[in-house]
Amino acid sequence: MSLLQALVDTSQFLDDVNSLDKLKAILDPDILEQAFKRAGVATVRRRRLPLEAVMWSVVGMSLFRNETVWDIASRLDISLPGKNKLVAPSALVQGRQRLGYEAVQQTFQILAHRTFTTQAFEQWCGLNLLAVDGVVYRTHDNEINRHEFGCDSNNHGESSYPQVRMCSLMEVSSHLLLDSAFDGRHAGEMSLAQQLLPSVPSHSLTLFDRGYYSLGLLHSWQSVGEDTHWMIPARKDLQYEVKHTLGKNDAIVTLSTTPQARKKFSELPENLTARLTSYQVKGKTYRVLSSLIDPLRFPYDEVTEVYTQRWEIELGFREMKQGMHQSKHTLRSKKPDMVRQELWGLLLAYNLIRIAMIDATKDYDELSPTRLSFNLCMRQVIAFFMFTSVQSASKLPAHYEELLNTLRLFTLPDKIPDRHYPRVIRRKPKKYPYKRKCQSALN
């Protein structure tokens, strides 16, 4: 269900709403109800700050990065009417603890699944293009976060901030997040990627980074659904046997699995069949390994161009860390469960903005959601949350349609073809400091 349809349905039975009801119209109340039941936090008790209001305060933490949680609740006017207009800061802290992080996680996952299954996305050779990659967030430096998430340290005993490692699955044509998994820095990205397997849709091609090369993971990814494929850069030391050639730089190969891998992945066979494709860009040779073994359905020219779409997930991470998170050094929350809640709230807020951008470009074939400025769209969505009049619910669809018209004005200029920036490699630090020349030697 699109946001506009949710607003239209809401206007049929609401005549007068407050700010909380307006926010409920943006996020289907049925999604919140399902999430609360799955997380086991649903309650019939009516509080000044119901769970729906606390949920929006968690989302607002990412939309209003420089505001306190108490100010966010005041800005969104999410508390129910009472003797006092404002709620106590302690009530928000208790509300967040009562909500927990699993309810926010369930809300994010239900919304992502519903959006992906009800929207039409760009496809490549009949497949939805997905990408998997990892990112790291820093938390407040305290003992409980160090124990829960871990941190880096050097030979001198100096340690960095506690870190949370996250792995995400993204639809590249819209930057919509389908699912995420995160844990402490001790968790590897490949183990986190395995947690994303239940969210992999059928009829899809997932683009992996080079570091995700694991025949057990790739075989599980290919077997999780119907017509699910993968693509990954080939390692330099890749061991394979050519089964038959499809062209000069295209071949079907056989990959042998190790006993250790078969022990870890019980369904992994002794040999896997894959496609090894080589191509050149500006004189440099690249090789990609994929499960696209049908040369008629997946022609060579198409296969050599699709992997560049993997960089779209890097842009999505930049939008979250630099746009929404404003490049802050650490997350807001100071306790592990609240850190997890804040991260799920960040992902949920990001998807809400992305869904509005998808709705804005849905009926415009020449315009893609990724060609809209995320930062400008984010500011406009925030303004919609704060300043849209709620005197009559019947006007909400018109206000939302006006929002979509405004988002379409934030179209980015066309990409410059063959844009090139030379790569700059930082000098590796030396173990010992550089020796300075003495003044007498200079004379």
Side-chain angles (χ1 to χ4, degrees):
M1 178 185 296
S2 67
L3 297 184
L4 182 58
Q5 184 60 41
L7 290 172
V8 172
D9 294 342
T10 304
S11 65
Q12 294 177 357
F13 61 89
L14 287 179
D15 295 326
D16 192 18
V17 294
N18 57 23
S19 293
L20 182 58
D21 292 322
K22 176 184 65 176
L23 298 176
K24 288 181 181 179
I26 300 301
L27 181 58
D28 192 349
D30 180 57
I31 294 179
L32 295 176
E33 183 179 356
Q34 291 183 42
F36 295 154
K37 288 183 178 179
R38 291 185 183 182
V41 297
T43 177
V44 296
R45 178 181 175 183
R46 294 298 293 172
R47 300 174 180 266
R48 180 79 191 281
L49 274 177
L51 292 178
E52 295 89 342
V54 181
M55 177 72 72
W56 277 107
S57 68
V58 173
V59 173
M61 290 172 61
S62 299
L63 298 178
F64 303 91
R65 186 60 179 83
N66 294 323
E67 303 286 345
T68 64
V69 180
W70 183 75
D71 289 334
I72 292 170
S74 302
R75 282 179 176 271
L76 295 178
D77 191 21
I78 56 178
S79 60
L80 296 181
K83 295 181 179 180
N84 299 321
K85 183 177 180 180
L86 303 178
V87 295
S90 59
L92 288 168
V93 175
Q94 296 172 4
R96 288 188 61 192
Q97 294 173 350
R98 188 172 69 252
L99 178 67
Y101 69 87
E102 293 182 354
V104 189
Q105 175 185 358
Q106 292 294 333
T107 303
F108 163 78
Q109 293 176 339
I110 295 173
L111 177 65
H113 175 75
R114 180 175 298 187
T115 303
F116 183 80
T117 55
T118 56
Q119 297 282 357
F121 298 95
E122 295 182 14
Q123 292 187 339
W124 175 85
C125 294
L127 303 176
N128 289 109
L129 282 182
L130 313 177
V132 169
D133 206 354
V135 66
V136 173
Y137 287 91
R138 289 185 291 264
T139 72
H140 277 274
D141 191 5
N142 55 46
E143 188 64 29
I144 188 172
N145 283 340
R146 286 177 177 273
H147 179 268
E148 184 72 17
F149 301 118
C151 57
D152 294 323
S153 60
N154 57 23
N155 296 332
H156 303 286
E158 299 173 347
S159 56
S160 63
Y161 283 82
Q163 297 176 346
V164 180
R165 193 184 308 278
M166 176 186 293
C167 185
S168 298
L169 176 65
M170 176 180 288
E171 201 282 326
V172 299
S173 70
S174 63
H175 289 190
L176 179 75
L177 290 174
L178 302 186
D179 201 359
S180 288
F182 52 83
D183 204 340
R185 64 169 300 276
H186 60 275
E189 290 190 9
M190 281 193 288
S191 62
L192 293 177
Q194 294 178 23
Q195 301 179 28
L196 304 177
L197 285 171
S199 301
V200 179
S202 299
H203 308 288
S204 62
L205 169 63
T206 305
L207 309 176
F208 288 93
D209 190 12
R210 189 188 307 272
Y212 289 89
Y213 181 78
S214 167
L215 294 182
L217 173 63
L218 298 177
H219 178 263
S220 300
W221 208 275
Q222 185 176 352
S223 306
V224 72
E226 180 184 357
D227 201 22
T228 52
H229 296 277
W230 51 266
M231 178 178 288
I232 191 172
R235 300 168 55 179
K236 293 183 180 179
D237 59 347
L238 180 67
Q239 302 294 323
Y240 62 91
E241 180 180 348
V242 178
K243 192 173 182 179
H244 62 270
T245 59
L246 302 175
K248 181 180 179 181
N249 299 313
D250 203 7
I252 303 297
V253 299
T254 300
L255 306 173
S256 299
T257 61
T258 63
Q260 294 81 2
R262 292 194 296 272
K263 183 178 180 180
K264 184 177 181 181
F265 299 90
S266 57
E267 298 181 356
L268 182 63
E270 294 185 1
N271 297 295
L272 288 182
T273 302
R275 183 177 181 179
L276 183 61
T277 307
S278 304
Y279 58 96
Q280 286 191 345
V281 178
K282 297 182 179 179
K284 186 175 181 180
T285 301
Y286 296 88
R287 299 190 307 170
V288 292
L289 197 65
S290 68
S291 61
L292 309 172
I293 59 177
D294 186 353
L296 298 179
R297 182 182 176 186
F298 309 109
Y300 172 82
D301 294 339
E302 298 285 343
V303 174
T304 57
E305 295 180 357
V306 68
Y307 188 75
T308 57
Q309 299 295 316
R310 193 200 71 81
W311 295 102
E312 294 294 334
I313 192 172
E314 303 286 358
L315 299 179
F317 289 152
R318 185 186 67 179
E319 292 164 351
M320 284 186 285
K321 299 194 74 172
Q322 296 184 10
M324 301 181 66
H325 201 241
Q326 298 184 14
S327 301
K328 300 294 185 180
H329 196 68
T330 64
L331 298 169
R332 290 171 173 248
S333 304
K334 298 181 179 181
K335 294 184 178 180
D337 282 352
M338 296 299 99
V339 168
R340 296 185 179 95
Q341 185 189 76
E342 181 181 349
L343 282 174
W344 285 117
L346 172 66
L347 301 176
L348 177 58
Y350 177 80
N351 265 4
L352 287 175
I353 298 172
R354 275 293 165 191
I355 291 172
M357 298 169 68
I358 293 172
D359 283 346
T361 59
K362 182 167 53 177
D363 298 327
Y364 295 81
D365 296 335
E366 71 282 359
L367 190 59
S368 170
T370 58
R371 300 309 304 151
L372 300 180
S373 172
F374 178 82
N375 288 337
L376 295 179
C377 291
M378 176 183 65
R379 296 172 187 174
Q380 198 66 29
V381 171
I382 293 174
F384 175 80
F385 287 160
M386 292 180 58
F387 305 118
T388 300
S389 175
V390 293
Q391 296 302 319
S392 176
S394 61
K395 296 181 180 179
L396 284 178
H399 289 314
Y400 186 70
E401 187 63 36
E402 183 179 356
L403 170 66
L404 300 185
N405 292 333
T406 304
L407 297 186
R408 286 189 284 268
L409 299 178
F410 303 141
T411 305
L412 296 170
D414 295 335
K415 294 182 179 180
I416 301 177
D418 299 329
R419 194 171 186 178
H420 175 69
Y421 293 98
R423 183 178 181 184
V424 178
I425 302 177
R426 295 180 61 184
R427 184 174 59 182
K428 185 177 180 180
K430 302 295 184 181
K431 184 176 181 181
Y432 302 101
Y434 290 99
K435 184 177 180 180
R436 297 182 179 179
K437 296 181 179 180
C438 60
Q439 189 65 28
S440 59
L442 295 176
N443 296 332

